[in-house]
Amino acid sequence: MSSDISLPSHRGNRFYQGLAATLVANALQAVNFLGDRLLRKSQHSSALIEDLYRYAMESAFSLSEAFLVTGAPHASAYYPRDFAWFYPDVLDPETIMDEQDAVRRARLLEKSVRLLLEAARAGVITTTIVPAGRGRYLGVNYFSRPSDTLLGILAGLQQMLSAEERGSSHLAMSQCAHAGRLLLVEYGGDLKRAILKLAGELEPFDVQGTRYLLCDASRPRSAATDTRAERRRFVTNACVYTTFVWGVQLGLVEENELKRLLGRDLAQYKQDLLSLFGRDGYIRHSLDGPAGTPSSLVALDFVGVHRGFWNMNDASERAFFAATADLIIAEPRFRIPSTFHFLVSADNPRNKIIHTIAAPAYQGRSSWPTFNVEFADRMLDFDEYAGNETYRACAQAILKDIRTATEIYGGYQELISEQGLKYRTWAYQGAVAHSWFPRFLSVWRRAYGTPLLRWND
């Protein structure tokens, strides 16, 4: 099936990658996406967000699921990055409805993380894993090599390890944490090798006599906004930095080992990234492309991931964040009119050809509720450390509009068009992202000081 065939895992799973595996995976995904576009049944809207949430949790964490996924049409493939970007709060006790829900979530998270670790041991660290039946999995990169797959694996493992630290009364959480500790021991060596390999892949990028290290100096690397075809992107390099930091925090790798490969410690490496992408006082999305107005050079994915790149306790980082956030907030083209739905970017980016044809605004002039949730959460981080209420009202408005869209469209949306409608093209319609819903509830609780939904009253 492939030029590279891995050894089977101890569970009997086999992982394949290479040209043949990619061709088969592409065929499976094409059938799935087109089938979803043609055959998906319309969903009825509901005014009761409680009902929508319960249905979403029962669907996302169904006992029939083999892996935690977004929802159709993505449900036939696994995206490791999502554990960092889109569902870092699936074990938040305030989002768990009951003991049965807790058990389903803990079990599915463990199954998901274990499979990702098995793939990492087999050397299959790709953007996407496509099941091919009977314990066979195809590793394929859409649409370039990943910058955040290891980040997602570490995020899933972190979430398991911290399951019993969040004040949950559910027995399943302590069991999940114990399973996480066993996985950390079993696969720690594989993760260390992968992290050091990633560090060795960074490339020099010279600007005015200063040498920086980038993961995408010569060619694009995939991140959560992976259809964008730019090189030298802030988000990809922020993901790599965060991977190194989390690897050190988990005890997988020593910082001195990374320093020998990078030629600098992690603090300097981060400062270099901020200096390079923030040389104009705000965080420029990409250094690859024509000059433009500041608002055309920033993108919403600069907010990074939960407890990842940004340290709002640092005044200089707060300044970079505020300058970039203020550009986005002040630019009318950055949001859907009369709402606080912010678009990924003010202009559609240079895309891969397939997206230019099939979904040109997919990660440009469209609004992703999940990126908006992270934008709101970073705003709350800023206010917490700055000791003021600069952004809270904006964060609350973002979340309120996401709730409204969820109720109108009968589910938590993957993305919304610039006209404020469900995103649809001739080839693609956005997913109803069931597994992203808990993260929204977690940030709502933080923004408003009270839960949106109560399960234990």
Side-chain angles (χ1 to χ4, degrees), residues 312-323:
M312 295 299 179
N313 194 36
D314 185 298
S316 64
E317 292 196 36
R318 288 202 305 272
F320 279 124
F321 174 85

Side-chain angles (χ1 to χ4, degrees), residues 46-96:
S46 169
L48 297 176
I49 198 164
E50 294 90 345
D51 294 340
L52 296 173
Y53 185 75
R54 184 174 293 279
Y55 175 77
M57 295 305 94
E58 291 173 351
S59 298
F61 301 100
S62 167
L63 294 177
S64 64
E65 293 289 346
F67 197 93
L68 183 55
V69 296
T70 292
H74 306 286
S76 68
Y78 308 149
Y79 301 86
R81 67 163 59 97
D82 289 2
F83 290 84
W85 279 98
F86 301 142
Y87 28 81
D89 274 335
V90 297
L91 299 186
D92 180 354
E94 290 200 2
T95 73
I96 295 174

Side-chain angles (χ1 to χ4, degrees), residues 68-122:
L68 183 55
V69 296
T70 292
H74 306 286
S76 68
Y78 308 149
Y79 301 86
R81 67 163 59 97
D82 289 2
F83 290 84
W85 279 98
F86 301 142
Y87 28 81
D89 274 335
V90 297
L91 299 186
D92 180 354
E94 290 200 2
T95 73
I96 295 174
M97 298 181 294
D98 50 37
E99 184 66 33
Q100 186 180 25
D101 186 25
V103 170
R104 290 200 307 264
R105 295 193 198 196
R107 286 180 177 174
L108 190 57
L109 181 61
E110 179 187 351
K111 288 170 62 177
S112 302
V113 173
R114 181 178 290 278
L115 186 60
L116 293 180
L117 290 169
E118 290 177 15
R121 172 168 289 178

Side-chain angles (χ1 to χ4, degrees), residues 410-431:
Y412 194 88
Q413 300 300 303
E414 178 192 22
L415 70 167
I416 301 170
S417 75
E418 63 179 306
Q419 292 80 32
L421 305 173
K422 294 181 71 170
Y423 183 84
R424 300 172 185 267
T425 71
W426 68 271
Y428 178 79
Q429 59 179 322

Side-chain angles (χ1 to χ4, degrees), residues 53 56-57 61 68 82-96 105 159 166 246 303-308 369-381 399 402 412 433-447 452:
Y53 185 75
M57 295 305 94
F61 301 100
L68 183 55
D82 289 2
F83 290 84
W85 279 98
F86 301 142
Y87 28 81
D89 274 335
V90 297
L91 299 186
D92 180 354
E94 290 200 2
T95 73
I96 295 174
R105 295 193 198 196
Q159 190 165 182
R166 305 187 69 165
W246 287 359
V303 296
V305 295
H306 177 51
R307 297 177 182 172
T370 188
F371 289 142
N372 277 264
V373 166
E374 295 308 314
F375 193 25
D377 199 44
R378 295 303 87 72
M379 290 178 177
L380 298 173
D381 287 340
L399 299 170
I402 293 173
Y412 194 88
H434 296 314
S435 56
W436 300 2
F437 215 153
R439 177 65 177 148
F440 168 72
L441 290 192
S442 296
V443 180
W444 179 285
R445 171 66 173 83
R446 187 181 184 196
L452 175 59

Side-chain angles (χ1 to χ4, degrees), residues 195-318:
I195 291 169
L196 293 178
K197 182 176 184 295
L198 178 63
E201 292 172 351
L202 301 188
E203 305 168 302
F205 181 66
D206 297 331
V207 178
Q208 298 178 344
T210 300
R211 172 157 290 191
Y212 301 92
L213 287 175
L214 301 180
C215 71
D216 56 354
S218 61
R219 62 186 62 186
R221 291 286 288 255
S222 176
T225 43
D226 60 352
T227 68
R228 301 177 71 105
E230 304 107 333
R231 299 171 298 165
R232 304 162 194 165
R233 297 172 65 201
F234 172 75
V235 64
T236 52
N237 289 283
C239 286
V240 170
Y241 164 81
T242 305
T243 301
F244 296 154
V245 170
W246 287 359
V248 172
Q249 290 175 350
L250 287 169
L252 296 167
V253 62
E254 296 290 335
E255 184 170 355
N256 283 338
E257 295 176 283
L258 292 168
K259 185 176 181 179
R260 285 195 292 270
L261 288 170
L262 303 178
R264 64 207 74 187
D265 60 27
L266 291 181
Q268 184 61 53
Y269 174 50
K270 182 178 186 179
Q271 186 56 49
D272 289 347
L273 294 179
L274 289 169
S275 298
L276 179 62
F277 289 95
R279 59 191 177 186
D280 297 316
Y282 57 88
I283 299 299
R284 182 168 172 171
H285 167 69
S286 171
L287 307 179
D288 180 23
T293 61
S295 61
S296 69
L297 299 176
V298 298
L300 195 61
D301 62 6
F302 90 99
V303 296
V305 295
H306 177 51
R307 297 177 182 172
F309 183 86
W310 291 98
N311 173 20
M312 295 299 179
N313 194 36
D314 185 298
S316 64
E317 292 196 36
R318 288 202 305 272

